[in-house]
């Protein structure tokens, strides 16, 4: 019996990613995907704009949604509900990539929730790299809901989350998204997108820490938002072990809609 080495295995076929799965707001353009194992994939994309750590979250999010629709056949009309994200640059500091740089996202689909063959939820862990440099890692978690289920689960904003607990020792600012931030794949949405909230929270962290470099960011989305009501963004120190870490929270109409943590390193 012969043994096939890794070098002798056939190269997986690259499948094109349709244009309708691109998200202009991400700063990345997806190109193709290939399956490496049952729940392991590689996605090719082009970097155009964006900085760390959000570019890592955008890359893994874009790859996860492409795989969900193309490999797992999630219908286009289903709602992709963001449940959580985390990302960590391999090296802190600005991202020195020229526009047009090819990147690859190695993606694992973790614990896919398949019901009657339909993917209704999963976590995705990704490693983002150029041809020879690891840029960092990210993880995203989604629920995939039909329009009818989405309407039922979403309910009204008042039912979205429990009352936000009082925070002591925190700074706060009001956040109102711009009209261009209220889109997903270029189409208007009925809520403030999770990536928009994450970006606003990270901007507050940078402002409050004099531009310190983020080495890890995580967030969990705990309630639905409405786009025409401001959010209160809150930040407080959490580094009891000597690290420069912070807790972040987004509150809308008195209810928590996003919470997370940030670790920073150094100064500007």
């Amino acid at each position: 019996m012969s043994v096939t080495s890794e070098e002798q295995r056939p190269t997986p076929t690259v499948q094109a990613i349709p244009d309708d799965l691109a998200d202009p707001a991400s700063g990345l353009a997806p190109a193709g995907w290939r399956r490496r194992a049952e729940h392991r994939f590689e996605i090719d994309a082009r970097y155009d704009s964006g900085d760390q750590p959000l570019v890592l979250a955008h890359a893994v999010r874009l790859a996860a949604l492409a795989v969900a629709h193309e490999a797992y056949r999630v219908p286009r009309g289903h709602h992709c509900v963001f449940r959580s994200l985390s990302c960590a640059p391999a090296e802190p500091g600005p991202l020195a990539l020229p526009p047009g740089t090819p990147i690859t996202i190695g993606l694992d689909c973790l614990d896919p929730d398949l019901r009657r063959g339909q993917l209704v939820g999963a976590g995705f862990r990704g490693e983002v790299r150029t041809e020879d440099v690891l840029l960092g890692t990210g993880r995203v978690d989604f629920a995939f809901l039909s329009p009818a289920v989405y309407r039922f689960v979403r309910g009204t904003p008042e039912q979205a989350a429990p009352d936000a607990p009082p925070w002591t020792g925190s700074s706060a600012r009001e956040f109102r998204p711009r009209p261009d931030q209220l889109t997903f794949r270029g189409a208007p949405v009925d809520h403030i997108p999770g990536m928009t909230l994450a970006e606003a929270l990270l901007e507050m962290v940078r402002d409050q820490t004099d531009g310190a470099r983020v080495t890890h960011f995580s967030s969990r989305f705990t309630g639905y938002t409405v786009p025409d009501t401001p959010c209160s963004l809150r930040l407080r120190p959490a580094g009891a072990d000597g690290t420069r870490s912070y807790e972040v929270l987004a509150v809308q109409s008195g209810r928590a809609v996003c919470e997370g943590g940030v670790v920073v390193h150094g100064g500007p």
Side-chain angles (χ1 to χ4, degrees):
M1 180 177 68
S2 63
V3 177
T4 303
S5 68
E6 290 296 327
E7 289 75 12
Q8 294 172 318
R9 294 178 191 271
T11 301
T13 302
V14 176
Q15 315 251 5
I17 296 177
D19 291 342
D20 70 305
L21 295 182
D23 182 3
S26 71
L28 302 164
W33 67 278
R34 61 186 70 82
R35 190 189 293 267
R36 290 294 188 184
E38 183 180 7
H39 300 299
R40 176 166 292 179
F41 307 87
E42 280 186 354
I43 295 86
D44 299 321
R46 186 187 71 240
Y47 167 83
D48 288 326
S49 62
D51 203 358
Q52 299 186 130
L54 272 182
V55 69
L56 300 172
H58 272 302
V60 177
R61 175 185 69 103
L62 202 67
L65 292 177
V67 163
H69 287 296
E70 293 297 288
Y72 292 100
R73 300 302 178 186
V74 171
R76 291 292 203 275
H78 277 36
H79 292 261
C80 305
V81 178
F82 222 163
R83 298 191 289 207
S84 66
L85 75 86
S86 63
C87 48
E91 296 290 339
L95 190 63
L97 285 185
T101 299
I103 63 170
T104 299
I105 304 104
L107 191 75
D108 291 315
C109 180
L110 308 172
D111 300 321
D113 186 358
L114 294 162
R115 302 181 189 177
R116 298 180 182 177
Q118 176 70 60
L119 185 69
V120 298
F124 297 86
R125 181 178 57 226
E127 185 178 271
V128 186
R129 60 172 62 248
T130 63
E131 184 178 8
D132 53 5
V133 175
L134 173 65
L135 300 179
T137 58
R139 175 168 173 164
V140 297
D141 191 282
F142 283 101
F144 303 104
L145 308 180
S146 70
V149 171
Y150 174 76
R151 288 192 298 269
F152 175 79
V153 172
R154 189 184 192 280
T156 64
E158 289 74 20
Q159 301 169 330
D163 290 340
W167 268 33
T168 59
S170 65
S171 56
R173 69 168 55 168
E174 184 180 273
F175 172 65
R176 291 179 179 270
R178 303 185 309 268
D180 64 286
Q181 292 178 307
L182 299 174
T183 62
F184 175 64
R185 296 177 183 158
V189 293
D190 64 353
H191 61 281
I192 302 173
M195 290 301 296
T196 298
L197 280 177
E199 182 178 6
L201 288 167
L202 281 168
E203 183 178 347
M204 180 174 64
V205 170
R206 285 191 294 266
D207 291 346
Q208 295 292 325
T209 61
D210 295 324
R213 299 165 184 170
V214 173
T215 61
H216 186 268
F217 173 70
S218 63
S219 63
R220 186 170 64 92
F221 302 99
T222 57
Y224 291 95
T225 57
V226 293
D228 54 356
T229 300
C231 287
S232 173
L233 307 183
R234 304 176 188 179
L235 169 78
R236 67 181 176 186
D241 58 355
T243 62
R244 295 187 66 187
S245 58
Y246 300 86
E247 294 176 331
V248 292
L249 180 70
V251 176
Q252 188 180 70
S253 300
R255 295 174 179 268
V257 292
C258 179
E259 60 186 23
V262 183
V263 178
V264 301
H265 171 77

